[in-house]
Amino acid sequence: MFNKRIKIKDLLKMEPGLSGVVVMGWVRTFRNNQFIALNDGSTNANIQVVAELGQFDENTLKRLTTSSSIKVIGNLIASPGKGQTVEIHATHIEILGDSDPEKYPLQPKKHSLEFLREIAHLRFRTNTFGSVFRVRHSLAFAIHKFFNEKGFVYMNTPIITASDAEGAGEMFHVTTLPIGKPPVNENGQVDYTEDFFGKATNLTVSGQLEGELGATAFGDIYTFGPTFRAENSNTTRHLAEFWMIEPEMAFHDLEDNMNLAEDFIKYIIQHAVDNNLDDLQFLDQRLAEEEKLLPTDKRSEMGLLEKLNFVLTNQFERITYTEAIDILLASPAYKKKKFQYDVKWGIDMQSEHERYLVEKHFKKPVIVTNYPKDIKAFYMRQNDDGKTVAAMDILAPGIGEIVGGSQREERLDLLTQRMNEMNIPTEELWWYLDTRRFGTVPHAGFGLGFERMVLFVTGMTNIRDVIAFPRTPKNAEF
Ligand code: 4AD
Ligand code: MG
């Protein structure tokens, strides 16, 4: 019954003259008891369906309310109206599902993003979220395409693990033990041998460690999956559940890693520009309108599409952490005490520092390398200076850190020494250390935060608006 449906996106590109065309979708508006703006989610553009006066019974017409779902059969003809080239003259209209206009929370008017977050189950039906989530899809597809074309193996790393890949202790525990009265051992501690897996487990914070196992067999792998962090950061850039893409490459050093990351980011942006131009144009306009409400100095210097094209045609800036700190120390912002947090060699740069570098100083994406070892994870390769590691973060305008990565410490002695210094249990990670025991190789990888990438490409400003159902502190609705 439904398989002859034509998607509105395709229909709008067809020549007039077709008869017996079948479309289905949700009514956006119904004007003058005659004109239906119908949307099916394939594009923000609606098809105009004309229900000629006197042709349809009153009861059907009355039920054509916002968000009611209908099936239409009709003839595709050239549209005399403005804003569309074709429209459908209906011969048959069937109501599939009613929508009570008194109760339906979305009206054909502008709603705030905050309000839409509260009805996240319905917000896909708005133009903004239609565009955001089609672009999100397109980026996900491009990611697989990029790595597939380069011969990477897509690897699914575990979601439940017993290790803390980042060593930062920001994990959600996974247990079936009774919360109120867990079994305890002689030392009075929770006895995890009684637990489901026989040991303490948690949701993964990163698939990297398992990814390295794959890379040291296949050469090049990537993961693309959900990761979980119980960091209590209620910001516009942090989620407790986010998606991460983590490529890991054998026989790569830090420079190869940076080159791949830059090519990768440009490739997926280009894919979105090539395949989702109408959505990006819509988001570009949306952003421009939104920014009109801001004071001039808070507005972006470039429009969304202009920014994306700029990123595509310019090389990312590459500087060391030490150079970054020197730039910050010499900046007018620092001298005028505009930074809330102090700047000195050794600090973990705050987002105000990162944003100064990309938005004010370089005005483009920046790759910062060779961070102090004390602020980075145990697995990063130690540089000869004894102070820094072969890390790289990519900072993007408007976002801050979008990628974190490094060359990995492939030398067993140095790795175990560093793990001991940082209290990372070497016995539990015996399997990880085996890669260094049996044919160790120089290797590198990085993690791209998918939602931060979607923010960058869509010009949205709150990470809660680029994932379908955000998980943040005190919020797990839907
Ligand atoms: O810098 P991170 O913590 O690096 C890792 O997890 C490494 N294991 C990656 C690797 O080398 N394979 O996280 C990587 C990226 C960040 O740059 C950021 O874009 C994103 O993941 N990210 C978050 N995105 C949303 N919400 C959060 N709470 C995030 N934490 C990190
Ligand atoms: Mg990081």
Side-chain angles (χ1 to χ4, degrees):
M1 174 203 173
F2 288 104
N3 62 6
K4 280 168 68 183
R5 161 167 104 93
I6 302 180
K7 291 202 174 172
I8 291 170
K9 185 176 182 167
D10 301 325
L11 201 63
L12 289 171
K13 289 186 215 138
M14 291 180 174
E15 295 293 324
L18 280 178
S19 58
V21 167
V22 181
V23 284
M24 294 179 209
W26 294 267
V27 173
R28 282 276 169 96
T29 57
F30 183 40
R31 287 186 296 121
N32 300 350
N33 227 19
Q34 209 179 349
F35 302 107
I36 306 167
L38 190 68
N39 190 279
D40 69 359
S42 59
T43 160
N44 277 346
N46 303 319
I47 185 97
Q48 169 150 292
V49 176
V50 183
E52 219 173 289
L53 291 173
Q55 293 279 323
F56 298 90
D57 67 275
E58 272 311 304
N59 185 41
T60 304
L61 297 176
K62 252 198 347 242
R63 292 167 67 195
L64 292 171
T65 54
T66 298
S67 240
S68 59
S69 51
I70 61 173
K71 171 181 180 179
V72 173
I73 306 178
N75 304 321
L76 193 68
I77 64 154
S79 175
K82 266 199 301 196
Q84 69 258 337
T85 53
V86 289
E87 62 186 29
I88 293 179
H89 278 203
T91 52
H92 167 97
I93 298 176
E94 182 186 332
I95 310 279
L96 299 174
D98 289 291
S99 171
D100 182 346
E102 301 289 311
K103 298 204 176 121
Y104 183 60
L106 285 169
Q107 300 304 322
K109 63 157 200 174
K110 201 168 152 50
H111 292 288
S112 74
L113 296 172
E114 289 78 14
F115 170 71
L116 293 172
R117 245 169 256 151
E118 286 167 21
I119 50 162
H121 59 307
L122 295 172
R123 65 180 176 169
F124 307 117
R125 298 188 191 188
T126 64
N127 284 339
T128 297
F129 289 92
S131 288
V132 165
F133 285 95
R134 280 188 297 269
V135 171
R136 183 180 165 115
H137 156 77
S138 190
L139 290 169
F141 185 80
I143 286 164
H144 287 296
K145 194 159 174 280
F146 175 84
F147 287 119
N148 186 54
E149 282 167 9
K150 290 204 174 306
F152 281 57
V153 169
Y154 174 38
M155 192 173 157
N156 301 116
T157 50
I159 288 171
I160 300 174
T161 76
S163 53
D164 178 2
E166 293 300 301
E170 294 170 334
M171 298 167 302
F172 288 100
H173 296 290
V174 174
T175 178
T176 53
L177 293 177
I179 292 180
K181 223 170 169 285
V184 288
N185 58 24
E186 319 72 275
N187 306 325
Q189 293 155 331
V190 175
D191 185 5
Y192 285 105
T193 59
E194 299 273 314
D195 204 351
F196 189 91
F197 296 105
K199 54 161 77 170
T201 52
N202 53 270
L203 294 177
T204 186
V205 295
S206 156
Q208 180 196 319
L209 302 190
E210 291 90 351
E212 286 185 50
L213 310 180
T216 49
F218 296 109
D220 298 328
I221 66 95
Y222 71 106
T223 72
F224 187 171
T227 45
F228 308 85
R229 298 208 182 164
E231 50 185 331
N232 207 355
S233 319
N234 225 333
T235 78
T236 54
R237 310 275 177 266
H238 288 88
L239 291 165
E241 176 179 301
F242 64 99
W243 288 65
M244 187 155 51
I245 298 97
E246 296 186 274
E248 192 68 37
M249 298 76 63
F251 321 112
H252 268 55
D253 65 12
L254 189 64
E255 193 182 349
D256 299 316
N257 204 23
M258 287 192 274
N259 292 342
L260 183 82
E262 184 169 342
D263 286 352
F264 169 56
I265 288 174
K266 288 179 172 168
Y267 180 99
I268 64 178
I269 294 176
Q270 186 68 57
H271 181 91
V273 171
D274 291 344
N275 293 277
N276 297 74
L277 194 57
D278 54 342
D279 284 320
L280 291 175
Q281 278 164 343
F282 174 85
L283 292 165
D284 183 304
Q285 264 176 18
R286 195 202 76 85
L287 186 64
E289 274 162 36
E290 195 103 312
E291 292 206 335
K292 275 191 206 144
L293 306 171
L294 296 177
T296 355
D297 64 319
K298 291 260 154 57
R299 294 181 198 165
S300 325
E301 284 175 26
M302 292 182 198
L304 178 62
L305 277 165
E306 196 186 351
K307 175 189 83 177
L308 296 178
N309 280 319
F310 178 84
V311 169
L312 288 174
T313 47
N314 283 278
Q315 287 219 308
F316 295 4
E317 196 67 38
R318 297 182 184 192
I319 56 168
T320 63
Y321 169 89
T322 302
E323 286 164 346
I325 293 293
D326 288 345
I327 292 169
L328 292 172
L329 287 174
S331 69
Y334 178 75
K335 289 185 180 146
K336 290 188 199 141
K337 301 198 170 20
K338 290 261 174 70
F339 293 130
Q340 195 188 336
Y341 294 90
D342 196 21
V343 180
K344 63 169 189 269
W345 200 94
I347 59 156
D348 199 357
M349 278 190 275
Q350 298 292 321
S351 103
E352 57 175 352
H353 305 136
E354 298 178 340
R355 295 185 68 163
Y356 178 85
L357 291 171
V358 285
E359 285 157 36
K360 296 273 183 315
H361 191 83
F362 290 111
K363 297 178 192 286
K364 51 154 111 167
V366 178
I367 312 184
V368 183
T369 57
N370 300 317
Y371 282 76
K373 65 178 181 183
D374 291 334
I375 56 167
K376 288 292 182 189
F378 69 89
Y379 49 71
M380 297 193 181
R381 192 175 199 278
Q382 297 168 62
N383 289 327
D384 293 340
D385 63 12
K387 293 191 307 196
T388 61
V389 284
M392 62 150 204
D393 277 7
I394 303 185
L395 314 179
I399 315 276
E401 181 190 335
I402 191 165
V403 161
S406 75
Q407 186 171 338
R408 316 307 187 191
E409 184 54 83
E410 83 283 11
R411 298 161 294 187
L412 181 64
D413 50 342
L414 289 171
L415 180 58
T416 44
Q417 187 196 329
R418 189 75 190 128
M419 289 170 80
N420 289 333
E421 282 167 14
M422 295 178 80
N423 290 320
I424 308 287
T426 46
E427 328 73 61
E428 274 171 38
L429 289 176
W430 61 273
W431 46 272
Y432 180 69
L433 292 171
D434 265 3
T435 56
R436 275 64 170 177
R437 292 190 181 103
F438 309 120
T440 192
V441 286
H443 65 290
F446 62 86
L448 170 71
F450 188 46
E451 285 75 20
R452 293 196 186 172
M453 188 69 211
V454 183
L455 275 180
F456 185 72
V457 176
T458 58
M460 300 298 283
T461 49
N462 192 318
I463 201 161
R464 293 164 182 77
D465 296 330
V466 297
I467 185 162
F469 303 109
R471 299 297 178 239
T472 50
K474 303 277 179 285
N475 175 42
E477 194 65 47
F478 309 106

